[in-house]
Amino acid sequence: MELYENTLYKNSVELIAKNEKINYELLKDKKILITGASGLICSFLVDVLMYRNENYNDNIKVYMLCRNEEKIKNRFSYYDLERYNGSNDGNLIYIVQDVCSAFEFDENFNYIIHGASNTHPKQYSTDPVGTINTNVIGLYNILNYSVKYKPERIFMMSSVEIYGENKNDVLKFDENYLGYINCNTLRAGYPESKRLSESLCQAYISQYDLDIVIGRFSRVYGPTMRSDDSKALAQFIKNAVNNEDIVLKSEGNQLFSYTYMCDAVSAILFILLYGKNGEAYNISDEKSDVQLKDLAKILADYNGKKVVFEIPDETERKGYSTATKAVLDSTKLKNLGWEPLFSIEKGLNDTIDILKNS
């Protein structure tokens, strides 16, 4: 069964697409470029925007930047996709383009949502150069393109990783906190390049008068996760879907913020439409701040299984974050009117149910 044919998944899309706090009128007849469109978060965003087109005639033209044409076709096979040729009539268009290469197409987009990034630990350790290049050079190309075409606004997807390790001086990270990162390590490539990406945004705002907002995501999960995602939670979910014991490769005392994909996408839309130019916003829900071992137990209990402990291999270990506490304060985002709709239990159970029946 295709993901979009799953009733629970379609209900999730509909829930966000009908959220009355999001003024979708502001997106009507707009052109939106999305990079990383086949990824965990942005693929769900595409489905939400296309739901608006199909049920509300919003006429949002969604352009998806992709390196792999076959991958984007497979992910969105339930739509009538068009390849970009400069004069497309449809509302879902893909552009075959590596974000790390200079853009060779001409289109005036109203909004750009930049989500292309290496986002899981094995990539950090096996492709560290690609991780840095995608974050920095990819954004650089987006911004240079924007200097020429002046979109109304750019949304840049950042990460909780920019805060580094908690220095035990705060309970939660607000947007002004700066923790410790040892830059002289392999693992530092991801958080340091995200930090540089945010600095690059500020430089282009100041020097070229661009309008940019930033979302700092906590650990996001959902049924749109890639099958090769090596994050701990993704592996837990894979165990649960396969009716296996949950394999925990640490003591599980890490305390992190988590966000279900639906809430992550509604946060993007809130920040895009209501955020202030140049500002960064934490995306999290205090009800989904949980220790890793408790997260593992929720998923083990789903199938009546147990949590087992296993030593990580060397490649896995190099890619893991050394942070043990990374809890985000989302007060700033909530002041825009955003509220999460999914508890950690609901989000995890829906994820397993959808994956088991898709």
Side-chain angles (χ1 to χ4, degrees):
M1 180 192 292
E2 294 282 359
L3 183 64
Y4 201 73
E5 293 175 358
N6 182 284
T7 300
L8 189 54
Y9 182 81
K10 291 177 73 173
N11 289 343
S12 300
V13 171
E14 183 178 355
L15 180 67
I16 304 305
K18 288 184 173 181
N19 188 334
E20 294 182 354
K21 289 186 175 182
I22 300 171
N23 187 0
Y24 284 102
E25 286 292 316
L26 297 174
L27 298 179
K28 287 193 72 169
D29 302 315
K30 301 291 188 178
K31 294 180 178 180
I32 303 177
L33 174 67
I34 302 176
T35 73
S38 63
L40 190 168
I41 300 172
C42 288
S43 64
F44 184 76
L45 172 61
V46 170
D47 284 332
V48 168
L49 295 176
M50 291 304 293
Y51 183 96
R52 293 291 308 184
N53 283 339
E54 292 168 355
N55 294 276
Y56 294 89
N57 297 314
D58 279 355
N59 192 36
I60 305 167
K61 292 183 79 73
V62 180
Y63 295 76
M64 304 182 294
L65 201 72
C66 65
R67 282 187 304 180
N68 189 317
E69 183 172 7
E70 181 180 359
K71 185 176 179 180
I72 207 81
K73 284 182 174 179
N74 288 340
R75 173 60 182 85
F76 298 105
S77 59
Y78 38 84
Y79 297 121
D80 185 16
L81 281 174
E82 293 186 20
R83 178 165 177 159
Y84 179 75
N85 61 23
S87 60
N88 299 80
D89 297 322
N91 280 329
L92 188 59
I93 302 144
Y94 67 91
I95 302 172
V96 179
Q97 166 78 48
D98 188 337
V99 74
C100 291
S101 300
F103 293 176
E104 298 179 353
F105 53 88
D106 295 297
E107 195 68 52
N108 288 297
F109 303 108
N110 300 100
Y111 297 107
I112 296 176
I113 297 172
H114 180 46
S117 180
N118 285 355
T119 58
H120 59 95
K122 279 192 177 178
Q123 287 181 318
Y124 305 156
S125 60
T126 60
D127 185 22
V129 174
T131 296
I132 295 170
N133 284 349
T134 301
N135 285 343
V136 179
I137 296 176
L139 176 62
Y140 176 76
N141 288 330
I142 289 284
L143 296 177
N144 279 339
Y145 187 84
S146 298
V147 169
K148 180 179 179 180
Y149 290 98
K150 292 289 185 181
E152 296 175 38
R153 170 159 282 184
I154 302 162
F155 179 97
M156 200 279 280
M157 294 175 66
S158 189
S159 167
V160 60
E161 294 261 5
I162 65 103
Y163 293 112
E165 295 184 41
N166 191 324
K167 297 181 289 188
N168 294 318
D169 52 351
V170 295
L171 293 175
K172 294 186 176 184
F173 300 151
D174 67 16
E175 286 81 0
N176 295 316
Y177 185 80
L178 187 64
Y180 170 75
I181 295 175
N182 181 355
C183 63
N184 194 30
T185 63
L186 177 69
R187 180 58 176 74
Y190 181 77
E192 290 285 21
S193 58
K194 280 297 186 184
R195 282 185 172 183
L196 179 55
S197 295
E198 292 199 18
S199 296
L200 202 56
C201 287
Q202 296 301 327
Y204 273 78
I205 290 169
S206 175
Q207 191 166 338
Y208 296 107
D209 197 31
L210 293 184
D211 188 309
I212 307 172
V213 286
I214 297 166
R216 293 176 180 164
F217 291 83
S218 57
R219 287 160 172 81
V220 181
Y221 65 96
T224 51
M225 290 175 123
R226 286 172 41 164
S227 59
D228 62 347
D229 193 323
S230 56
K231 291 190 288 291
L233 178 52
Q235 296 303 306
F236 293 172
I237 290 170
K238 191 179 296 183
N239 292 150
V241 170
N242 294 330
N243 202 32
E244 300 167 345
D245 290 333
I246 306 302
V247 179
L248 184 57
K249 299 191 176 185
S250 69
E251 292 182 0
N253 293 322
Q254 303 94 317
L255 176 62
F256 297 142
S257 295
Y258 296 91
T259 309
Y260 190 49
M261 62 176 191
C262 299
D263 290 328
V265 165
S266 69
I268 290 175
L269 294 170
F270 266 86
I271 297 167
L272 182 72
L273 297 177
Y274 311 131
K276 181 181 177 182
N277 184 20
E279 293 291 316
Y281 297 84
N282 286 340
I283 300 169
S284 69
D285 170 28
E286 65 273 7
K287 295 177 183 176
S288 292
D289 297 340
V290 62
Q291 284 190 299
L292 198 60
K293 60 186 177 184
D294 295 327
L295 198 68
K297 187 175 186 307
I298 292 171
L299 289 164
D301 289 347
Y302 178 93
N303 290 316
K305 296 294 183 177
K306 61 181 183 294
V307 178
V308 298
F309 295 86
E310 182 179 295
I311 302 299
D313 64 37
E314 186 65 15
T315 300
E316 290 172 323
R317 187 188 62 78
K318 287 180 179 179
Y320 287 162
S321 170
T322 56
T324 57
K325 184 177 182 182
V327 178
L328 296 182
D329 181 343
S330 60
T331 300
K332 189 175 174 181
L333 174 59
K334 289 182 177 179
N335 286 340
L336 296 181
W338 177 82
E339 288 290 342
L341 301 177
F342 289 79
S343 66
I344 188 73
E345 293 82 6
K346 171 68 172 168
L348 289 173
N349 287 340
D350 281 9
T351 296
I352 301 168
D353 287 342
I354 291 169
L355 288 175
K356 278 192 170 186
N357 295 288
S358 297

